[in-house]
Amino acid sequence: MMEYPPPNYQKGTDIPFLWENRFDTLRATYKQARCFEQSKEGFGMRKEMKRVSVIVPAAVLAFSLAGCGETAGQGATGTDTAQTAEDSSAAATSVSAEDTADEPVTLHIYTNYTDDGAIQQMDYAVDEMKKVMPNVTLEIEPAAQDDDAKLKTMMATGDLPEIFGTTRSNLDVAIKSNSILPLDDYVKELNLEETLTPSTLSYLEQQDGHTWIIPTENSTFGLIYVNKSIFEKAGVDIPQNYEELLATADTFNQQGIIPMCIWLKETWPPLQLFDMISITENPDGIKALDVNGDALPSDPAYQHAAEKIVDMVNAGMFSKDAFTMDYDSALAQFLNGEAAMMMGGSWTAQEFGEKLGEDNIEILLPYVFADADQADAVKAEGRMSGGGFSGGYAVSANAENPEIAAKYCIQLALKNIEGRIVKVGENNTAFLNPPESETPQNQVVKTLGDAVAKAQTTTMMGWAFESAAISTDLGSEVQKLYTGTYSADDFAKNAAAVVEKARNGKG
């Protein structure tokens, strides 16, 4: 089997060279495999056949989804998404839940199942679903921390499990490849309007007015966590503006301490930090850079944010190994006392309080990235980075039992949110009548709750762009800033071109 990506792969340059002469062969091979697969009956045979699919880049296979005859691949060759949704919805009604209600069914899910919080909430959700749909067994495949590269390949090849975790940035790829099932009818049938808050219900109207993804978490926010004891031992005051923050780097580096943890193996963390910095000048942050936004990366707020990232890198704010680090590696650095601060999300507030001491954690909001003469005003406004709908669980259009998979998916997603509240102690923003947490909220979570309640503006997380092109290409541009050698001027020019291209429908 050919290795992908190739050892000498360079984004945007190597793939066309390596694959252009193999395109027809690969497309034909893929068609044969898909046609043969669809001629088989039984889930076991389908799963076996899926394993023989040729592994090629998602960008290449996306063009080969013409299918065989009148198959699901036609959407990639021009069928509009409204017709795609109608066809998929019709397919979903072909299996009656009443006919299979008592029959044992095994479903598979591809989703995050690595960190403690994710495992706790999923285990809770699965246990709860045994009460709701006792005939269903769920098998979990932990998702790779690879910026959804594997997931996108699975979408392009049709080799998806019945349920999969995804962000809304992947919706365009999933819809065009006919990989995803619309869930509108099941949302109505399960009466979610009687369960969810108005803000959470608003997230269910997604691309083309359909529901494709069910949220699996409360609204979350980007934060900087501070280990106060490390600051005290180093004799460093906790910063309250950007100048003070930058000054901490030299002192911590001299003492062998990493000033701030961040992991750059994925593109959303650098985007998240870029958002936190940019909202000190533009409250809409990177939300205004999306396909329906009105800002450009060349605007002062974003160019200044780029300049600050380059300055922080060159001051030694981040680990030299950040580009090879995933979330678990960065988390270990912070929990082991190797780093004074960590960029993270609100979902870890309870965990950090428990593991490092609730009186030992302080939360810094984006005001810490504001210039000294603006920090107090930004703090008073309570500007927050994050919130809104980022992603959740979706159902494969090729699910063997689509109705069962859809109903299980929707309820499993909501049970995951319950699990975040019950097991992780997360603040509720989703339910009209939330469950009680098994663990009383510690002071870190309470402090965060107070800050969220006072927030006057919020943005969207960096991985929640509606445009997949902006999410990927802008993310790549922002990532380059963390090398310390990519200038803010080059970023402003090249990133602006990315956004304008996507808005003109060419992305």
Side-chain angles (χ1 to χ4, degrees):
M1 182 175 292
M2 286 177 284
E3 183 180 356
Y4 174 72
N8 62 341
Y9 165 71
Q10 293 181 8
K11 183 176 179 182
T13 58
D14 287 3
I15 285 181
F17 175 77
L18 290 170
W19 298 100
E20 62 182 353
N21 294 324
R22 306 178 191 177
F23 176 83
D24 291 338
T25 301
L26 291 171
R27 179 169 58 183
T29 303
Y30 174 73
K31 279 187 175 182
Q32 277 188 325
R34 290 286 290 149
C35 294
F36 183 50
E37 174 192 321
Q38 290 169 0
S39 70
K40 300 298 179 182
E41 295 180 356
F43 176 76
M45 179 61 74
R46 287 174 59 85
K47 291 298 289 183
E48 181 180 350
M49 288 306 303
K50 285 179 181 179
R51 298 304 174 203
V52 305
S53 299
V54 178
I55 299 178
V56 297
V60 174
L61 281 177
F63 289 102
S64 65
L65 288 173
C68 54
E70 297 296 319
T71 65
Q74 289 177 335
T77 63
T79 302
D80 62 36
T81 53
Q83 184 64 45
T84 298
E86 182 179 341
D87 292 344
S88 299
S89 182
T93 62
S94 63
V95 178
S96 170
E98 294 179 2
D99 294 339
T100 57
D102 298 323
E103 297 177 6
V105 176
T106 298
L107 299 176
H108 302 77
I109 186 170
Y110 178 80
T111 188
N112 178 30
Y113 192 69
T114 53
D115 61 272
D116 291 343
I119 292 171
Q120 287 178 7
Q121 73 190 51
M122 177 58 89
D123 289 350
Y124 169 89
V126 171
D127 287 342
E128 288 295 304
M129 286 303 297
K130 289 177 181 176
K131 305 172 187 175
V132 179
M133 299 178 72
N135 62 309
V136 177
T137 298
L138 185 70
E139 294 185 1
I140 304 169
E141 179 183 353
Q145 296 182 31
D146 61 355
D147 261 346
D148 288 342
K150 180 178 178 179
L151 177 63
K152 290 173 183 176
T153 300
M154 294 164 75
M155 287 178 179
T157 62
D159 189 24
L160 281 165
E162 293 90 344
I163 304 171
F164 55 96
T166 185
T167 67
R168 71 173 190 165
S169 297
N170 294 327
L171 261 182
D172 193 51
V173 173
I175 292 171
K176 287 181 178 177
S177 63
N178 274 345
S179 299
I180 193 168
L181 186 76
L183 301 173
D184 312 49
D185 292 342
Y186 306 110
V187 168
K188 292 177 184 176
E189 184 177 342
L190 293 170
N191 297 317
L192 296 194
E193 68 274 8
E194 297 179 3
T195 303
L196 303 178
T197 60
S199 62
T200 303
L201 282 173
S202 70
Y203 304 154
L204 299 182
E205 184 173 343
Q206 296 151 20
Q207 192 162 318
D208 306 311
H210 293 290
T211 299
W212 305 93
I213 305 172
I214 305 299
T216 55
E217 59 186 42
N218 295 287
S219 295
T220 54
F221 301 91
L223 312 165
I224 302 297
Y225 290 97
V226 171
N227 186 328
K228 292 163 67 175
S229 63
I230 292 181
F231 272 79
E232 290 170 2
K233 290 177 184 176
V236 177
D237 292 332
I238 294 175
Q240 299 299 308
N241 57 57
Y242 174 68
E243 286 81 359
E244 293 177 3
L245 175 68
L246 195 63
T248 67
D250 185 55
T251 302
F252 283 129
N253 282 322
Q254 289 180 20
Q255 299 185 23
I257 298 169
I258 299 167
M260 185 184 297
C261 279
I262 189 171
W263 62 107
L264 303 176
K265 200 172 181 179
E266 300 178 72
T267 54
W268 79 257
L271 270 170
Q272 182 67 71
L273 190 57
F274 180 74
D275 184 50
M276 295 178 73
I277 301 171
S278 66
I279 67 173
T280 63
E281 295 188 45
N282 183 341
D284 288 334
I286 58 175
K287 178 172 65 175
L289 299 181
D290 209 343
V291 67
N292 296 315
D294 58 4
L296 288 171
S298 53
D299 293 347
Y302 307 100
Q303 187 158 1
H304 293 163
E307 291 169 355
K308 288 179 178 179
I309 289 173
V310 174
D311 288 345
M312 283 192 287
V313 170
N314 291 327
M317 184 67 68
F318 311 115
S319 168
K320 292 184 177 162
D321 299 324
F323 271 100
T324 61
M325 292 177 62
D326 57 18
Y327 171 77
D328 292 333
S329 303
L331 180 65
Q333 279 187 341
F334 187 61
L335 293 180
N336 292 337
E338 299 172 43
M341 296 174 281
M342 179 174 178
M343 191 220 76
S346 52
W347 61 87
T348 55
Q350 183 80 9
E351 178 184 3
F352 285 172
E354 291 172 355
K355 293 185 176 178
L356 295 177
E358 61 183 335
D359 295 327
N360 187 40
I361 293 291
E362 183 163 329
I363 293 175
L364 297 178
L365 300 180
Y367 63 78
V368 75
F369 297 106
D371 294 336
D373 60 347
Q374 296 294 322
D376 288 343
V378 173
K379 186 175 185 178
E381 289 183 24
R383 296 183 189 180
M384 300 286 286
S385 171
F389 167 65
S390 57
Y393 292 160
V395 177
S396 169
N398 295 322
E400 199 77 11
N401 296 292
E403 187 166 354
I404 291 175
K407 291 180 178 179
Y408 192 92
C409 169
I410 293 170
Q411 295 174 93
L412 178 72
L414 300 187
K415 292 298 183 184
N416 261 267
I417 303 179
E418 279 189 19
R420 297 178 76 95
I421 298 168
V422 174
K423 294 296 183 181
V424 185
E426 189 172 89
N427 282 316
N428 167 67
T429 63
F431 296 112
L432 295 173
N433 297 296
E436 292 290 330
S437 175
E438 292 180 357
T439 304
Q441 291 183 340
N442 60 36
Q443 190 56 49
V444 183
V445 179
K446 291 178 181 177
T447 300
L448 174 59
D450 292 340
V452 171
K454 295 174 184 176
Q456 297 181 33
T457 65
T458 62
T459 66
M460 303 291 279
M461 290 288 196
W463 28 260
F465 286 104
E466 184 172 329
S467 166
I470 291 179
S471 179
T472 301
D473 296 339
L474 178 62
S476 178
E477 290 298 318
V478 170
Q479 250 183 336
K480 293 177 187 176
L481 294 169
Y482 292 83
T483 65
T485 60
Y486 190 54
S487 74
D489 288 337
D490 286 341
F491 166 81
K493 178 179 66 176
N494 295 332
V498 165
V499 173
E500 290 176 323
K501 181 178 179 182
R503 288 176 181 169
N504 290 330
K506 299 176 182 177

